[in-house]
Amino acid sequence: MLHINDLTYRIDGKLIFDQATVGIPAGHKVGLVGRNGAGKTTLLRLIAGEIGPESGSVNWPKTARLGYVAQEAPGSDMSILDWVLNTDVERASLLAEAETATDPTRIADIHLRLTDLGAHSAPARAAQILAGLGFDDADQKRPCTAFSGGWRMRVALASVLFLEPEFLLLDEPTNYLDLEGALWLETYLSSYPHTVIIVSHDRDLLNRAVNAILHLSAGKLTLYSGGYDTFEEVRRERQRLELKLKKKQDDERRRIEAFVDRFRAKATKAAQAQSRLKALARMKPIAASVEAGVVPFAFPKPRKIVASPLLRIEHGAVGYAENAPILTDLDLRIDQDDRIALLGQNGNGKSTLAKLIAGRLQLMGGQLYGAKKTDIGFFAQHQLDELNPNESPFDVIERLMPDGTEARRRAALGAHGFGADKADTKCEHLSGGEKARLLLMITSFHGPNLLILDEPTNHLDVDSREELVRGLNAFEGAVILISHDRHLIDSTVDRLWLVHGGTAQPFDGDMDAYRRQLLDERTARRHRARDRGSDPGPDQKPDRATQRRNAAQRRAELAPLKRAADAAEHRVNALSNELTTLDAALSEPDLFSTNPDRAQKLSAERGRLAKRISEEEDAWIQALEVYEHAANAPDHL
């Protein structure tokens, strides 16, 4: 169980945790939620021991393993599969020692421990996790350095999941995943056998993968049972009751104060007035717990009217290198009121299609109609890093409104969530959510006909995401959305395009149908991988060559265990022969009467030898058990 007791912590003088206390039972899967900047990542670092509290304590069983995704992505030349496998330091160390160990007893101990660790299934388990996060067989053999930072963060996530720690801490893991990876992670976490604390703003993940919500607000921690929707309902009801009690208390306070003010000076009422003053002092104020409202997202209406279709692509092909198109056979149409989500795994070409529609890429073949008359706003995550760190939101609005007065500029910033305290703050000091708001303002400021949003919610908390839903639904233009947030897709789009197999086509179904299709495809891939490998299905027999290869591999892997068992048996036999010789010497009729010193020495030696035989027999039995367990196991080491 995780215990957080009277936790107090400040950052630059700002109180983040104010005597926060909570207990999380073992095995719970907990979603940690709160507004941006509330201190969620700080809490994970406190639990992990990266930083220490100002006062209070964070306690969990020190014999348990804790897994926390590193902030830096792996940059090794090792293949990503080997890198994940080597994060299990004990397993890697035992495998290395098994290559050089010569003592049969130690060899048996090593392989017994490897069996306990499930070392025989580790490569398959690591490969399965990597596949779920989007790495195919070829990717798993490539070095970590061959991937971008976002993909390497997936490798870091895979390594923590592979270790299967008793306490798993995850900080916005879906930020680096596509929709398919997020769906896989949701399924994986829902069946995870240990405690999970996950910071996430993905409403679907918080509804399906966790059984409790830990709410961080005003420096306090409150644990709610159930998923996010249940938490929202219970919290709203609690706030309603607290507001009702606060109003009742405020009314009573005003009544007492009025009595005291009226009768304090009268001698006949002085005692009563004094009594009421004491009652007023004892009255513990009920704080208003309603959080400050989230500034809405306001997208201006399109500046000019364009008749449908806004864009039409016929027989299109697009890519980056000549004669090497990423997508072909594109026949697509976008109307002025369309709300479209692009589905498909990362690397299939969603961003390529978005760049084509936005005019960032030119067609390599086919025709594109309507591009010149359509104003397009394009939001992409990489643009957050391209904001000038030394500029402020006010500097940005000056460029967007060159003829506007300062009052109008500041009013426009305020409408987008940049009040007096943020308007002049440099971008390098803005949070991720604030940068996303600024970029969305830039993208939509001049009233485009079409908004293309590539992962707009990565840095937004749950409440801000709800405001984004409202803003997009109120927008009068067309929207193309790429997102791993299913709630955002379900709430804002009415058409789905599937980018897959080198093209893009309308998907005939909803998100539930797409989820079922992904699960079916994943099952089919596992079956194909099984059929290609050495583990045939129940109705399929391996050929003779495969049988011989598997048998040879089996013998090679079992050989060290067989040698350890044979060596232990040889030692027992040799010691038993020595014991027989000693017994023969001790059986001489006149030994104890004619040479008592030798008889005593032989007796002592026989006692020591018998003890050694007992120990060696135990080691032999243990070595045999390890060998027989491995030989009879369905999976080989």
Side-chain angles (χ1 to χ4, degrees):
M1 184 170 183
L2 174 67
H3 292 276
I4 298 174
N5 299 310
D6 294 328
L7 179 67
T8 299
Y9 189 80
R10 288 178 173 83
I11 297 179
D12 296 331
K14 179 183 177 182
L15 187 62
I16 304 298
F17 296 101
D18 182 13
Q19 294 184 319
T21 298
V22 74
I24 298 175
H28 265 45
K29 299 177 183 68
V30 179
L32 176 57
V33 302
R35 291 286 175 82
N36 287 340
K40 300 183 295 294
T41 297
T42 301
L43 181 60
L44 293 189
R45 296 183 65 200
L46 285 162
I47 295 172
E50 290 187 358
I51 54 178
E54 178 181 316
S55 63
S57 62
V58 178
N59 300 305
W60 46 275
K62 297 308 177 185
T63 55
R65 294 174 302 165
L66 185 143
Y68 184 32
V69 177
Q71 295 298 315
E72 294 184 5
S76 170
D77 290 329
M78 192 182 299
S79 74
I80 62 173
L81 178 60
D82 287 339
W83 195 89
V84 170
L85 288 169
N86 279 288
T87 55
D88 188 341
V89 177
E90 182 181 7
R91 174 186 173 276
S93 175
L94 288 171
L95 288 174
E97 186 180 356
E99 296 290 330
T100 58
T102 57
D103 178 17
T105 302
R106 179 56 185 158
I107 292 174
D109 290 341
I110 290 171
H111 286 282
L112 182 63
R113 180 57 182 159
L114 286 172
T115 300
D116 292 340
L117 292 174
H120 59 289
S121 62
R125 190 160 57 87
Q128 183 181 23
I129 291 172
L130 285 168
L133 294 176
F135 297 97
D136 60 23
D137 292 342
D139 287 336
Q140 293 177 23
K141 297 179 177 65
R142 296 169 63 196
C144 297
T145 51
F147 295 90
S148 65
W151 281 92
R152 278 150 59 186
M153 286 304 299
R154 294 192 190 200
V155 179
L157 173 60
S159 68
V160 173
L161 298 179
F162 170 71
L163 291 174
E164 206 171 272
E166 285 80 8
F167 286 89
L168 177 61
L169 309 180
L170 300 176
D171 191 353
E172 290 287 3
T174 58
N175 275 3
Y176 304 101
L177 302 180
D178 53 17
L179 179 60
E180 290 71 16
L183 287 170
W184 176 88
L185 182 65
E186 174 191 298
T187 303
Y188 183 90
L189 292 179
S190 64
S191 59
Y192 191 77
H194 305 300
T195 304
V196 179
I197 300 177
I198 177 171
V199 174
S200 179
H201 298 130
D202 186 327
R203 197 178 189 115
D204 287 279
L205 181 69
L206 294 174
N207 275 322
R208 298 182 182 181
V210 306
N211 53 22
I213 297 293
L214 183 60
H215 184 219
L216 171 56
S217 177
K220 303 294 185 182
L221 292 166
T222 308
L223 188 66
Y224 296 79
S225 296
Y228 188 83
D229 287 347
T230 302
F231 151 72
E232 276 279 76
E233 184 179 344
V234 173
R235 182 175 64 130
R236 298 299 183 200
E237 180 62 18
R238 180 178 291 183
Q239 287 178 339
R240 188 185 69 80
L241 291 175
E242 287 179 350
L243 284 174
K244 186 176 180 180
L245 288 173
K246 184 177 187 303
K247 182 178 183 303
K248 184 177 180 181
Q249 186 189 72
D250 289 345
D251 290 343
E252 179 65 9
R253 183 181 293 275
R254 282 192 292 271
R255 189 186 67 79
I256 293 174
E257 288 174 345
F259 181 93
V260 171
D261 290 341
R262 182 175 182 182
F263 297 110
R264 188 198 305 263
K266 290 191 176 183
T268 57
K269 299 288 186 179
Q272 295 180 33
Q274 192 64 29
S275 175
R276 283 166 172 72
L277 276 176
K278 291 178 181 179
L280 195 64
R282 290 194 300 267
M283 191 179 292
K284 189 175 181 180
I286 299 174
S289 60
V290 178
E291 293 179 294
V294 177
V295 177
F297 287 90
F299 298 107
K301 62 189 305 183
R303 186 173 51 180
K304 62 182 181 181
I305 302 300
V306 178
S308 289
L310 296 180
L311 288 172
R312 190 172 82 253
I313 304 173
E314 294 182 356
H315 311 299
V318 64
Y320 300 93
E322 189 175 356
N323 299 322
I326 304 296
L327 299 173
T328 59
D329 299 323
L330 297 174
D331 288 290
L332 302 168
R333 169 184 172 131
I334 304 171
D335 290 319
Q336 60 183 359
D337 58 351
D338 269 343
R339 303 302 170 94
I340 302 167
L342 303 187
L343 307 179
Q345 291 182 320
N346 279 358
N348 281 1
K350 298 192 300 294
S351 294
T352 301
L353 179 58
K355 289 176 183 177
L356 170 65
I357 296 171
R360 308 290 177 92
L361 286 175
Q362 300 300 313
L363 278 176
M364 300 171 66
Q367 298 294 324
L368 174 64
Y369 300 99
K372 292 182 179 179
K373 61 183 179 180
T374 303
D375 290 334
I376 299 172
F378 184 58
F379 173 102
Q381 278 297 310
H382 68 84
Q383 294 172 331
L384 294 180
D385 298 325
E386 296 172 4
L387 292 171
N388 188 332
N390 294 315
E391 282 193 338
S392 67
F394 189 79
D395 296 327
V396 171
I397 203 71
E398 278 188 315
R399 289 199 306 275
L400 296 174
M401 300 176 63
D403 299 325
T405 63
E406 180 172 349
R408 289 184 59 199
R409 290 169 180 165
R410 292 196 178 275
L413 284 176
H416 287 87
F418 297 97
D421 58 331
K422 292 294 183 181
D424 298 306
T425 301
K426 291 184 178 180
C427 287
E428 64 180 345
H429 299 305
L430 296 177
S431 69
E434 289 163 346
K435 289 179 181 178
R437 276 187 172 275
L438 182 60
L439 188 56
L440 283 167
M441 181 188 77
I442 297 170
T443 300
S444 63
F445 194 81
H446 292 301
N449 304 103
L450 171 63
L451 277 177
I452 302 175
L453 306 179
D454 189 349
E455 297 291 359
T457 62
N458 272 2
H459 298 282
L460 300 180
D461 58 38
V462 180
D463 292 331
S464 295
R465 292 183 183 204
E466 286 299 316
E467 289 299 334
L468 181 60
V469 167
R470 295 187 183 95
L472 290 177
N473 286 335
F475 177 55
E476 297 181 16
V479 175
I480 292 180
L481 183 64
I482 302 173
S483 178
H484 63 260
D485 189 329
R486 283 153 291 159
H487 177 69
L488 178 66
I489 293 175
D490 283 334
S491 303
T492 58
V493 309
D494 47 32
R495 296 179 62 194
L496 303 175
W497 287 357
L498 180 58
V499 184
H500 178 70
T503 190
Q505 296 176 332
F507 179 77
D508 187 17
D510 57 12
M511 288 300 297
D512 288 335
Y514 182 59
R515 176 187 173 88
R516 288 193 297 270
Q517 177 176 306
L518 287 176
L519 293 175
D520 291 342
E521 289 176 353
R522 189 174 299 146
T523 301
R525 283 198 300 270
R526 283 202 300 268
H527 289 167
R528 289 195 297 270
R530 181 197 66 190
D531 293 342
R532 289 196 303 267
S534 60
D535 182 17
D539 301 323
Q540 179 187 1
K541 284 184 136 185
D543 57 34
R544 290 181 178 275
T546 301
Q547 288 180 0
R548 288 194 297 271
R549 183 171 62 253
N550 291 345
Q553 182 180 359
R554 182 82 161 173
R555 288 193 298 272
E557 292 171 339
L558 292 172
L561 302 181
K562 183 66 166 61
R563 287 197 301 271
D566 290 345
E569 181 183 12
H570 177 75
R571 289 196 303 275
V572 170
N573 290 336
L575 292 172
S576 296
N577 290 335
E578 291 182 32
L579 185 64
T580 300
T581 302
L582 275 176
D583 285 342
L586 286 168
S587 64
E588 294 177 10
D590 300 328
L591 176 63
F592 285 90
S593 58
T594 59
N595 195 347
D597 290 340
R598 182 170 182 268
Q600 185 177 1
K601 182 178 179 181
L602 290 175
S603 295
E605 187 174 345
R606 189 191 187 284
R608 288 193 295 271
L609 191 59
K611 183 179 179 181
R612 281 192 62 195
I613 290 174
S614 178
E615 292 172 349
E616 292 295 343
E617 283 179 343
D618 288 342
W620 179 27
I621 292 171
Q622 186 182 50
L624 277 174
E625 288 177 348
V626 172
Y627 171 68
E628 290 170 356
H629 175 78
N632 295 325
D635 292 318
H636 54 76
L637 290 170

